[in-house]
Amino acid sequence: MSATFTCSRRATFAAASLRGNDESIRKGRKMMRENHHHHHHQPNRSIKTSSSHATTVLGIRKDSKTVLIADGQVTMGSEIIKHNVIKVRKLGDGVISGFAGSTADAFTLFERLEQKIEEHPGQLTRACVELAKNWRTDKYLRRLEATMIVADKHHMFQITGNGDVLEPSNGIIGIGSGGSYALAASKALVDVEGLSAMDIAKKAMDIAANTCVYTNDKFQILTLDSDASAEEEGGEKEKKEVDDGGEKGGEGKKAA
């Protein structure tokens, strides 16, 4: 009798264990189906992160002279596509700009900035703030990936897609993958007596070109003089210096 009861209890426990295992298996399969469904039907949310664009653009203001200089290299992955792309541009009367990032995105932003400058003539600060506001809030513009340097005879700003409009206290801005190298070199040279804004810009960009693999020494230069009318490429004399090899790898071209 006792042996029969013991066997009966063991059979009952075994059956309960099997039922418990079956229940666990069913629950596990249900959770897997729910996770699979959630994964495939969850909205695609792209997280926008700040990236270091593969180029170097440097802006320097010293002794009433503003210099904007950029390299000319375009890189796709590990391949160099072009050596002399124009990354600086004259906008309107007395305004110059350079960009790091997607070329198409940058030119779209150039067009928007030109519109803002026309709406607010002589008010570069307000034009830049309005552009940054639209860039930050507009459904289309906020997808654009670029960073810009914009300058006139009195101000120089860095504009980003995060709504930032930054004016440096020391008159130096560096953007792009080699921007930090050019910025550091410029800060070291800016207090050296006898060095003009142009001298500092060229030396700092040489250092960036020799340090950053995404930066070459084919420079394009735009200048502004607060004591005179705005000049493109620093006037024909300075443009000739660039074209004739007055700087390392000088294949400067006139911005469109």
Side-chain angles (χ1 to χ4, degrees), residues 18-62:
L18 289 174
R19 286 195 299 272
N21 289 339
D22 290 342
E23 183 67 21
S24 298
I25 291 172
R26 284 195 295 271
K27 287 182 178 179
R29 288 176 176 173
K30 183 178 179 181
M31 291 176 63
M32 290 176 64
R33 286 195 298 270
E34 289 176 351
N35 290 337
H36 180 77
H37 177 80
H38 177 73
H39 175 75
H40 284 277
H41 291 82
Q42 157 176 0
N44 183 19
R45 298 175 182 174
S46 60
I47 301 177
K48 189 175 181 179
T49 59
S50 60
S51 60
S52 182
H53 302 296
T55 189
T56 302
V57 183
L58 177 66
I60 297 179
R61 180 189 300 277
K62 182 180 179 181

Side-chain angles (χ1 to χ4, degrees), residues 161 194 229 238:
S229 301
E238 209 161 67

Side-chain angles (χ1 to χ4, degrees), residues 20 23 80 88 139 150 154-155 161 166 174 216 218:
E23 183 67 21
I80 297 175
V88 292
K139 183 178 180 181
V150 183
H154 307 292
H155 302 283
L166 307 174
N216 68 7
K218 307 297 189 292

Side-chain angles (χ1 to χ4, degrees), residues 1-11:
M1 179 70 179
S2 176
T4 303
F5 178 74
T6 301
C7 291
S8 176
R9 288 182 62 186
R10 288 177 178 174

Side-chain angles (χ1 to χ4, degrees), residues 60 62 186 189-190 195-205:
I60 297 179
K62 182 180 179 181
S186 299
L189 296 170
V190 71
L195 289 182
S196 66
M198 181 67 72
D199 297 330
I200 296 170
K202 290 179 180 179
K203 182 59 179 177
M205 285 295 289

Side-chain angles (χ1 to χ4, degrees), residues 156-173:
M156 181 167 60
F157 300 105
Q158 177 180 346
I159 310 176
T160 73
N162 295 324
D164 301 318
V165 181
L166 307 174
E167 184 172 19
S169 59
N170 57 5
I172 306 172
I173 300 176

